[in-house]
Amino acid sequence: MNNKILKSSTATYQSGVAKVDGKFYVTQGQVRFEPYNESAGLGPYTLSRSAIIKIEKSVGKGAGILPLTHDAITITLKNNDSYDFILANPDEWIRLLKH
C-alpha cells in the first residue's frame, strides 16, 4: 500500500469537551492524526480509508456545546465510530477523502 503523504496539516481532534492539537495527514490508504501531546490520551489515530463510510463538514465546539468554527470535519467509519477534526479548508479535505 502506498504510504506517500498526499496532504498534511495542523489540526485539532475534538472528542466532546476534550481537544488536542496535532498533525493530520492523508495517504492513499489511511487518515492519520498524531497529537503533539500524546500524554493527553487523545490519539494517535490511524483510520483506514476503506473503512470510512461518511465524511461531512461539522462544527468545532467550545466546551463541547458552543459552536466556535465551521472549519471542521467528521469522519464516520463502518463500525459507527466517528472522529471530529478542526482544520483549515474542510471542503478541500472532504474532496480529497472522497476520492
Side-chain angles (χ1 to χ4, degrees), residues 1-44:
M1 189 169 295
N2 187 350
N3 288 326
K4 179 182 171 198
I5 295 175
L6 302 175
K7 185 174 174 86
S8 67
S9 178
T10 299
T12 301
Y13 170 72
Q14 181 167 15
S15 178
V17 298
K19 292 182 185 179
V20 66
D21 295 328
K23 181 180 177 186
F24 182 86
Y25 60 92
V26 174
T27 68
Q28 192 67 34
Q30 298 178 333
V31 175
R32 179 106 173 128
F33 177 77
E34 296 175 353
Y36 296 135
N37 179 3
E38 287 192 26
S39 66
L42 298 171

Side-chain angles (χ1 to χ4, degrees), residues 14 19 58-72 86:
Q14 181 167 15
K19 292 182 185 179
S58 58
V59 177
K61 299 174 184 164
I65 56 171
L66 302 171
L68 292 180
T69 181
H70 292 281
D71 287 341
I86 301 168

